[in-house]
Amino acid sequence: MLTQSAIRTGSFKQPMASIRLPAAATPQGGTIEMMGALMTFTRDSEIYGENEPADYLYKVVSGAVRTYKVLVDGRRQIGAFYLPGDTFGLEVGDLHTFSAETITNCKIIVTKRSAVVALAERDNDAAREMWSLTARELQRVQDHILVLIKSAQERVASFLLEMADRTADAGVIELPMSRQDIADYLGLTIETVSRTLTQLEKSATIEVPTSRRIVLRNRSALHRLNA
Amino acid sequence: MLTQSAIRTGSFKQPMASIRLPAAATPQGGTIEMMGALMTFTRDSEIYGENEPADYLYKVVSGAVRTYKVLVDGRRQIGAFYLPGDTFGLEVGDLHTFSAETITNCKIIVTKRSAVVALAERDNDAAREMWSLTARELQRVQDHILVLIKSAQERVASFLLEMADRTADAGVIELPMSRQDIADYLGLTIETVSRTLTQLEKSATIEVPTSRRIVLRNRSALHRLNA
DNA sequence: CGACCATTTGATATGGATCAAGCGATGTGG
DNA sequence: CCACATCGCTTGATCCATATCAAATGGTCG
């Protein structure tokens, strides 16, 4: 059961990223990011690696991020995609369990974990926020398990609905990630992802005007597939 | 991609369970269970259902428990097995995301969640314990994802190693759960689980003296499979 | 001893992986 | 500005792992 995943994919580590400003720049949002700095990352650059100390928290301002693990045999499993507004990098232990890299150019608010933890000890809101972030993460992972036991059609349908829910521009999804990323997220090959999409297009469930843009034509059909 | 899972399986809800004693009965262990009551459950009885309020925490004293979801199409996914010493039922939200039922007759310490939360607000140890339980849970789920993208051989090998690590009686595993349970945990069919086990037996990696007892003969071979 | 249920084993079907080629968009150098 | 190389994606042909269907075996409990 070898996938071509990481073999075909390139991960490019380049020092990148410039600090911008001590960000009270973004007005609304939780207390956590208040203490952070806005950083810029170029696409495909590593944010942190698996097993590195988890000293920072990250909140996506713009762009998209993937977390992943590469298994010994070269397969890559993507754990999650993070989009604007999403926070990632909060670990329950002291080390990152996944690696993280940008999919596109990104602006990300980076906050020292120690500062957040310290704040949480005094401030109930911050503590609640950390708890809720962990909750969301656990929920996401549990849902992911349910996706991984389904058929290819169901997995792709789940993925499309998930992306639609999160970006929600009236049924038009702009995908920041490649087919390979989607495949590694869903535990499929790019060929299967591609074929499934054309299949859905032929059944008038979606339209694929360009490979990175998908229009949902029949959401209920997707939900039905989603089983 | 229909599995026979829940169709073949019976879930029996019977009111069951008798309260035993306000348990300081078990001396060692975290602060949490100190406040609990020891309850007895017969095998295959429901402890709680999906979407029910998560008002209690549970710690297995003896026996084994499974948590699961039944999908709309009847497939059942087992989320985890809990063995003596394991705590379950701690949710990040207010509702249980899985159902829980006993696999065998069980003794379980049941603790009111509100009491635990209240304690955690005053006592750092209790708070740390809750956090660590959540951490372990997240870790478990993430590992499970990695298992589900592997081949049947790899999944079964992972499962055996996991069980060996947790019960650890010198390479002899006593399985409390049926093949169907294992299949639904690993996202396989009972036939595939069974065939894989006989395959491992033929390659002298394991012995299967009875269907519920498995002897590890060659752990490193399993680790190699585990990829 | 006989019925029942769990497990194993066998035969076949099939969904998705693999191998391979074609296609379209994007970018680069001449 | 165009020709060509490159890269990501799609499409096609074939293969294989696992599901499905079916039957045999074995262990348990009345």
Side-chain angles (χ1 to χ4, degrees):
Chain A
M1 201 205 189
L2 283 179
T3 331
Q4 62 280 84
S5 59
I7 296 131
R8 287 199 196 165
T9 312
S11 155
F12 317 105
K13 198 166 186 167
Q14 44 204 29
M16 52 66 218
S18 60
I19 299 185
R20 277 290 203 68
L21 55 140
T26 26
Q28 50 78 271
T31 41
I32 288 179
E33 71 225 51
M34 301 290 287
M35 306 175 292
L38 184 64
M39 294 180 70
T40 307
F41 293 77
T42 61
R43 65 182 231 118
D44 286 315
S45 47
E46 171 162 324
I47 300 170
Y48 55 76
E50 193 181 332
N51 295 322
E52 288 179 10
D55 294 333
Y56 297 92
L57 271 185
Y58 304 84
K59 176 158 181 169
V60 181
V61 173
S62 69
V65 171
R66 63 183 164 242
T67 56
Y68 66 95
K69 274 189 182 187
V70 176
L71 308 192
V72 290
D73 57 13
R75 279 175 295 185
R76 181 182 67 159
Q77 175 63 35
I78 290 188
F81 296 117
Y82 296 95
L83 305 177
D86 293 339
T87 300
F88 65 97
L90 173 56
E91 306 287 341
V92 282
D94 287 331
L95 303 180
H96 288 297
T97 56
F98 282 77
S99 303
E101 56 188 26
T102 56
I103 296 174
T104 62
N105 293 337
C106 284
K107 293 196 198 311
I108 297 178
I109 297 175
V110 182
T111 311
K112 248 203 147 60
R113 172 182 150 130
S114 56
V116 175
V117 171
L119 176 60
E121 305 223 323
R122 289 175 284 112
D123 176 21
N124 263 340
D125 277 359
R128 210 184 319 282
E129 200 179 340
M130 275 184 70
W131 191 255
S132 128
L133 286 173
T134 308
R136 217 190 315 280
E137 199 57 28
L138 189 55
Q139 186 64 48
R140 191 202 294 291
V141 183
Q142 281 173 343
D143 289 346
H144 201 164
I145 283 193
L146 296 181
V147 170
L148 289 179
I149 63 167
K150 297 184 187 174
S151 73
Q153 276 222 348
E154 294 169 323
R155 293 188 212 192
V156 172
S158 297
F159 172 73
L160 292 177
L161 288 172
E162 182 197 336
M163 289 302 293
D165 277 356
R166 292 171 66 186
T167 64
D169 265 337
V172 183
I173 308 173
E174 296 290 341
L175 296 174
M177 72 290 284
S178 70
R179 294 288 186 270
Q180 186 65 62
D181 287 334
I182 299 172
D184 289 348
Y185 179 62
L186 297 179
L188 299 170
T189 58
I190 41 174
E191 292 95 331
T192 298
V193 171
S194 180
R195 273 188 251 270
T196 304
L197 287 173
T198 47
Q199 210 175 312
L200 288 174
E201 193 170 24
K202 278 177 185 155
S203 66
T205 309
I206 61 174
E207 274 169 54
V208 190
T210 81
S211 70
R212 295 299 183 100
R213 170 176 296 126
I214 294 186
V215 184
L216 303 194
R217 276 281 160 243
N218 189 344
R219 239 177 234 249
S220 54
L222 285 179
H223 269 108
R224 236 168 295 128
L225 274 183
N226 198 224
Chain B
M1 200 203 191
L2 283 179
T3 329
Q4 62 281 84
S5 57
I7 297 133
R8 287 198 194 165
T9 310
S11 156
F12 317 103
K13 198 165 187 170
Q14 44 203 31
M16 50 70 220
S18 61
I19 298 186
R20 276 293 203 67
L21 55 140
T26 28
Q28 51 77 272
T31 40
I32 289 178
E33 70 225 54
M34 301 289 287
M35 306 175 291
L38 184 63
M39 294 180 69
T40 305
F41 293 77
T42 60
R43 67 182 231 116
D44 286 314
S45 48
E46 172 162 324
I47 301 170
Y48 54 76
E50 195 181 332
N51 296 322
E52 289 178 10
D55 293 334
Y56 297 92
L57 271 184
Y58 304 84
K59 177 158 181 169
V60 181
V61 173
S62 69
V65 170
R66 62 184 164 241
T67 56
Y68 66 94
K69 274 189 182 186
V70 176
L71 308 192
V72 289
D73 58 13
R75 281 176 293 184
R76 181 183 68 160
Q77 175 63 34
I78 290 188
F81 296 116
Y82 296 95
L83 305 177
D86 294 338
T87 301
F88 65 97
L90 173 56
E91 306 287 339
V92 282
D94 288 330
L95 302 181
H96 288 298
T97 56
F98 283 76
S99 303
E101 56 187 29
T102 56
I103 296 175
T104 62
N105 294 336
C106 282
K107 292 196 197 313
I108 297 178
I109 297 175
V110 182
T111 311
K112 249 205 146 59
R113 172 183 150 128
S114 56
V116 175
V117 171
L119 175 61
E121 304 224 323
R122 289 174 284 110
D123 176 19
N124 262 340
D125 277 359
R128 209 184 319 280
E129 199 179 342
M130 274 183 71
W131 191 254
S132 129
L133 285 173
T134 309
R136 216 190 316 279
E137 199 56 29
L138 189 55
Q139 185 64 49
R140 190 202 295 290
V141 183
Q142 281 172 344
D143 290 346
H144 201 164
I145 282 193
L146 296 180
V147 170
L148 289 179
I149 63 167
K150 297 185 188 175
S151 72
Q153 276 222 349
E154 293 169 323
R155 294 187 212 192
V156 172
S158 297
F159 172 73
L160 293 177
L161 289 171
E162 182 197 337
M163 289 302 292
D165 277 356
R166 292 170 67 185
T167 64
D169 266 337
V172 183
I173 308 172
E174 296 289 341
L175 296 174
M177 72 289 284
S178 70
R179 294 288 185 268
Q180 186 64 63
D181 287 335
I182 300 172
D184 290 348
Y185 179 61
L186 297 178
L188 299 170
T189 58
I190 40 174
E191 292 95 332
T192 298
V193 170
S194 179
R195 273 188 250 271
T196 304
L197 287 173
T198 46
Q199 209 175 314
L200 288 174
E201 193 171 25
K202 278 176 186 158
S203 67
T205 309
I206 62 173
E207 273 170 55
V208 189
T210 79
S211 70
R212 295 300 183 98
R213 169 176 296 126
I214 294 186
V215 184
L216 304 193
R217 277 280 161 242
N218 189 344
R219 238 177 236 250
S220 53
L222 285 179
H223 269 110
R224 235 169 297 128
L225 275 183
N226 197 224

